[in-house]
Amino acid sequence: MRLEAKDLHQQLGGQAILKGVSIEVREGEMLGLIGPNGAGKTTLLRLIAGILTPPREKLLADGQPLANLSQSERGRKIAYLTQEGTAHWPVSVERIVALGRLPHLGTWQKPGEEDDRVIQRVLDQTGLSGLTDRSFPTLSGGEKARVLLARALTVEPEVLLADEPVAALDPSHQLEMMDLLKMHCGQGGSVVVVLHDLRLAAHYCDRLQLLLDGKTLATGDPKSVLTPDNLEKAYGIRIREDKTSAVEAFEMTWELGGSQRPDQ
């Protein structure tokens, strides 16, 4: 599914958060939303997710208003991994991951064989098969993040929206998370991810959209977006003179060990 939105405006609490932002999400790509705090990244994601409501004609899915989709259809096509996602009750990992199949089920309908196959496949891909009976509150931060991502992947969405999914994770869990998001793209889905770590953004994202003060400052491949001028305008940072390019300054100098890497 190709998502497009043109000239999005959004006010919250009487303050203009988005001021004419356009976005395009292409099939099979990872689009990174970057920019300083308060630039409008999360608000843009919430508009796409349907948590905030844009004008009907502004947000299109394959050329048609996304608003034409029923709530269940939208739930099957778009999954949203929020910053605040958690579960405070003692539910097992398997039950939380299985919640991702709800958009595919009718009222009071129980999961069938196909649902069970999808759940098991995602548990295997995310390395959670050995944790299915664990209670969610007993998990580590990295394990909890994987469980919540697994729940979103179990939806089998065409577009996965992820708001700062690597925040507060250590380097190995950051790479695990980004590898799993990239895996979804490799399977034909699309990912829109909000990131503050420019190294991860440059390494994993096919395209970047740099927001500043509710507007798009730049969009394109990482090399064309992470320029010295753009970085100074958006973040007030300068690239060291011993670096030949801005992208070189954000090259990854480490990778996840093979024994930890999720199955591709």
Side-chain angles (χ1 to χ4, degrees):
M1 180 172 66
R2 178 176 177 175
L3 282 178
E4 298 175 88
K6 296 183 178 180
D7 195 31
L8 290 174
H9 292 259
Q10 183 68 42
Q11 287 195 348
L12 295 175
Q15 181 180 358
I17 306 299
L18 295 179
K19 307 169 186 175
V21 172
S22 298
I23 188 172
E24 178 186 6
V25 184
R26 302 168 186 170
E27 185 176 340
E29 77 165 0
M30 185 182 292
L31 173 64
L33 298 181
I34 60 173
N37 291 332
K41 304 181 296 299
T42 293
T43 298
L44 179 56
L45 217 61
R46 287 163 64 88
L47 280 170
I48 299 173
I51 297 171
L52 300 174
T53 306
R56 182 182 181 87
E57 73 281 1
K58 294 287 188 179
L59 190 56
L60 304 177
D62 293 329
Q64 300 298 318
L66 190 61
N68 288 353
L69 298 179
S70 67
Q71 186 174 358
S72 60
E73 287 176 315
R74 188 167 183 153
R76 291 191 294 270
K77 290 180 177 292
I78 300 175
Y80 182 35
L81 185 61
T82 69
Q83 290 183 43
E84 304 85 9
T86 189
H88 299 288
W89 56 94
V91 179
S92 70
V93 166
E94 186 172 25
R95 287 189 63 187
I96 290 177
V97 174
L99 291 174
R101 297 306 293 171
L102 288 179
H104 298 269
L105 304 176
T107 304
W108 308 116
Q109 181 183 356
K110 294 183 178 180
E113 291 184 2
E114 176 59 23
D115 302 300
D116 292 339
R117 281 194 291 269
V118 172
I119 293 166
Q120 188 57 56
R121 172 174 56 79
V122 172
L123 287 169
D124 291 341
Q125 289 175 336
T126 54
L128 294 171
S129 296
L131 302 177
T132 53
D133 295 328
R134 286 276 301 276
S135 174
F136 186 84
T138 69
L139 302 177
S140 69
E143 289 168 339
K144 289 178 179 178
R146 267 191 292 151
V147 169
L148 296 175
L149 175 58
R151 181 177 63 184
L153 291 172
T154 303
V155 178
E156 295 188 298
E158 295 183 36
V159 178
L160 173 57
L161 310 174
D163 194 357
E164 297 190 50
V166 299
L169 296 181
D170 63 36
S172 66
H173 287 115
Q174 288 181 352
L175 294 183
E176 283 182 0
M177 182 69 67
M178 295 304 297
D179 278 349
L180 289 167
L181 292 174
K182 199 67 174 179
M183 177 193 68
H184 183 65
C185 295
Q187 295 173 343
S190 303
V191 171
V192 184
V193 56
V194 173
L195 291 169
H196 280 294
D197 191 320
L198 299 182
R199 294 170 305 167
L200 295 175
H203 184 74
Y204 281 97
C205 295
D206 300 294
R207 288 191 302 123
L208 299 176
Q209 185 158 347
L210 174 57
L211 300 182
L212 177 64
D213 191 28
K215 301 178 182 178
T216 298
L217 179 61
T219 186
D221 62 83
K223 186 175 181 179
S224 66
V225 172
L226 297 176
T227 64
D229 285 347
N230 286 339
L231 292 170
E232 187 163 2
K233 288 177 184 176
Y235 297 99
I237 58 176
R238 295 181 181 178
I239 302 302
R240 282 170 33 189
E241 293 182 359
D242 61 336
K243 298 296 182 182
T244 59
S245 71
V247 170
E248 179 187 332
F250 296 109
E251 285 181 350
M252 299 288 288
T253 57
W254 31 264
E255 63 182 12
L256 190 63
S259 62
Q260 294 178 283
R261 187 172 297 278
D263 293 336
Q264 300 300 308

